[in-house]
Amino acid sequence: MIFSLMMVSAQDFTDKARLLEDASSLDPLIAAAGDKKLVLLGEASHGTHEYYVWRDIISRRLIEERGFNFIAVEGDFASLYKLNQYVKNTEGAGKSAREVLMSLNRWPTWMWANEEVVALAEWLRKHNDALPQKEKVGFYGMDVYDEWHSKEMVLEVLKNTDEASYYYAKQQYNCFEPHKGDSWQYAHAVKGGKEDCAAATARVVEFIRSNREALGALTDDAYFYLLQNAIVVHNAEEFYRESVASKGAASWNSRVFHMFETVGDLLALYGENAKGVVWAHNTHIGDASFTSMRNTGEKNIGQLKRESLGKENVFLIGFASYRGKVIAGSNWGAKMEEMTIPRALRSSVEYKLKKTGLDALYLIFDAEDRKEENLKVMGHRAIGVVYNPQFDRRQFVPTIVPLRYDALLFFKETTALKPLHR
């Protein structure tokens, strides 16, 4: 199936649109999603207030009412683990969520260092304080970035736990010299003929997996932290190397498989009956096989989890807006700005939903929506951390919406995220 963006006359969603006013408006959504093993919550940008707020509201209800065990987000593992320590009130926890999040310094800081996440984290801390330690809800980054921090954490934990293990890992990681701290420089060096470090990073992961007894002083949480940081280092090596060596889907999929596997590791950590919530961009959680991503061989977490766990165990919720404000950068590493998002294209699902006349709504897709006569390709806006409103029309991903998602939240006009750093 080849996807292309075209003018469409898709089904009218007015009759099935549910008004979104407050948490109680979500009762049908929670009923539909609450018995799943994974609920994946998207966003159409990385800088929109409403997306964070409503993901928070949905997550709280899933945790309180349906017993979900963790939230995994599109963020750095090592840095955000400090927030996990805070919400669980474990050893080394910071004094407040704000303090922890203010310490984040890798661009784009606003994705997690914002008022919206502070509110969720403080709620999680209060919720967890009433629970036994083993039942506390966790908060984890699942991305492949910040790999040098993860390498430092592997060595730090091993140095404080088992000297022989520390020296072994340190010897393996010496492979990255003289490119310490710069993965792009390392990847270009490999492309130029330097031997890669894939085998070395794999040996560290395998060593930690095979030597749990030697690391017996570590709690299960601390051991998971150690192992996961080693996995980040290993998978990041592949991601950067593939990014430089290939122009195809290999680097994208390398990052995707890391996040997919991390969510699986978290389900295993929390036990046989574990249930998790995932926060990531729509391009990661909405099934890629029903978008133009399929044309280039790009996969994502939503697709892979449907395939591995079964569609009946996964619930994918997308987010969209017609126009508004957003926090983004004009290029990678640029100063964050509040930008204006123009009106959506007439060929988009956003335009179709604006025609309902509701300021905020959601849809739950069913068998009727998925009948062949109702399956039309529509544009669906996707804004990243880098954005230029002048070229907004390029941001629309051709999509079969009722198959890409199980539900979709829509806001006619959105406002910008509230960053902690200014």
Side-chain angles (χ1 to χ4, degrees), residues 36-47:
K36 309 302 182 185
K37 196 163 189 66
L38 280 179
V39 174
L40 283 70
L41 302 173
E43 59 181 347
S45 85
H46 288 310

Side-chain angles (χ1 to χ4, degrees), residues 1 9 22 29 45 74 80 126 240 243 249 251 262 266 338 343 345 358 369-370 372 410:
M1 181 186 298
S9 179
D22 54 29
L29 184 70
S45 85
E74 188 183 344
L80 285 178
K126 185 177 180 180
Y240 285 98
S243 296
S251 63
T262 300
L266 285 167
E338 182 175 308
R343 295 182 178 91
L345 297 178
L358 299 177
D369 301 311
R370 291 162 176 161
E372 187 173 354
F410 170 77

Side-chain angles (χ1 to χ4, degrees), residues 135-204:
E135 296 178 18
K136 292 182 188 294
V137 176
F139 187 101
Y140 303 87
M142 62 176 180
D143 216 332
V144 76
Y145 297 122
D146 206 22
E147 64 283 0
W148 296 100
H149 187 187
S150 282
K151 184 171 78 68
E152 290 171 3
M153 292 302 99
V154 170
L155 295 177
E156 181 180 304
V157 172
L158 289 177
K159 190 173 186 178
N160 294 329
T161 308
D162 182 74
E163 188 174 5
S165 298
Y166 163 72
Y167 283 112
Y168 177 79
K170 189 172 186 293
Q171 181 184 38
Q172 300 306 312
Y173 287 158
N174 282 340
C175 174
F176 287 105
E177 299 291 351
H179 308 292
K180 183 179 179 181
D182 191 333
S183 293
W184 292 115
Q185 187 184 85
Y186 158 76
H188 282 289
V190 171
K191 187 176 182 181
K194 171 185 164 61
E195 185 177 356
D196 69 53
C197 297
T201 58
R203 283 193 290 269
V204 175

Side-chain angles (χ1 to χ4, degrees), residues 174-378:
N174 282 340
C175 174
F176 287 105
E177 299 291 351
H179 308 292
K180 183 179 179 181
D182 191 333
S183 293
W184 292 115
Q185 187 184 85
Y186 158 76
H188 282 289
V190 171
K191 187 176 182 181
K194 171 185 164 61
E195 185 177 356
D196 69 53
C197 297
T201 58
R203 283 193 290 269
V204 175
V205 172
E206 183 56 33
F207 179 86
I208 293 170
R209 282 182 170 147
S210 303
N211 287 276
R212 180 66 176 104
E213 289 186 9
L215 302 169
L218 297 175
T219 65
D220 287 344
D221 278 352
Y223 177 76
F224 176 80
Y225 178 65
L226 169 65
L227 177 58
Q228 190 59 33
N229 275 310
I231 292 170
V232 168
V233 176
H234 177 59
N235 288 343
E237 186 280 332
E238 178 186 38
F239 168 74
Y240 285 98
R241 181 164 42 80
E242 291 285 1
S243 296
V244 169
S246 171
K247 294 183 179 179
S251 63
W252 169 273
N253 287 341
S254 174
R255 182 174 169 227
V256 163
F257 277 103
H258 172 78
M259 293 192 283
F260 162 76
E261 290 166 0
T262 300
V263 174
D265 290 342
L266 285 167
L267 286 172
L269 176 69
Y270 279 85
E272 183 180 355
N273 298 315
K275 300 163 75 174
V277 179
V278 175
W279 288 26
H281 198 279
N282 288 339
T283 51
H284 289 300
I285 73 95
D287 192 329
S289 58
F290 299 106
T291 77
S292 58
M293 295 167 68
R294 172 178 175 153
N295 299 344
T296 55
E298 292 176 324
K299 300 181 183 295
N300 64 13
I301 311 168
Q303 175 187 353
L304 295 173
K305 285 303 180 187
R306 275 180 169 177
E307 291 171 358
S308 63
L309 296 177
K311 291 182 181 180
E312 70 279 7
N313 293 312
V314 178
F315 201 83
L316 311 180
I317 304 176
F319 285 69
S321 63
Y322 178 67
R323 64 184 180 192
K325 301 285 186 179
V326 69
I327 296 293
S330 58
N331 52 66
W332 189 266
K335 183 179 179 181
M336 63 183 173
E337 302 177 44
E338 182 175 308
M339 302 180 183
T340 298
I341 305 171
R343 295 182 178 91
L345 297 178
R346 293 178 64 88
S347 55
S348 68
V349 65
E350 289 85 354
Y351 181 84
K352 199 77 177 177
L353 292 173
K354 190 266 293 187
K355 300 287 282 184
T356 64
L358 299 177
D359 289 336
L361 61 89
Y362 69 97
L363 310 169
I364 300 176
F365 300 115
D366 54 27
E368 180 67 24
D369 301 311
R370 291 162 176 161
K371 287 183 177 178
E372 187 173 354
E373 61 266 29
N374 290 326
L375 297 180
K376 308 293 183 180
V377 176
M378 291 185 281

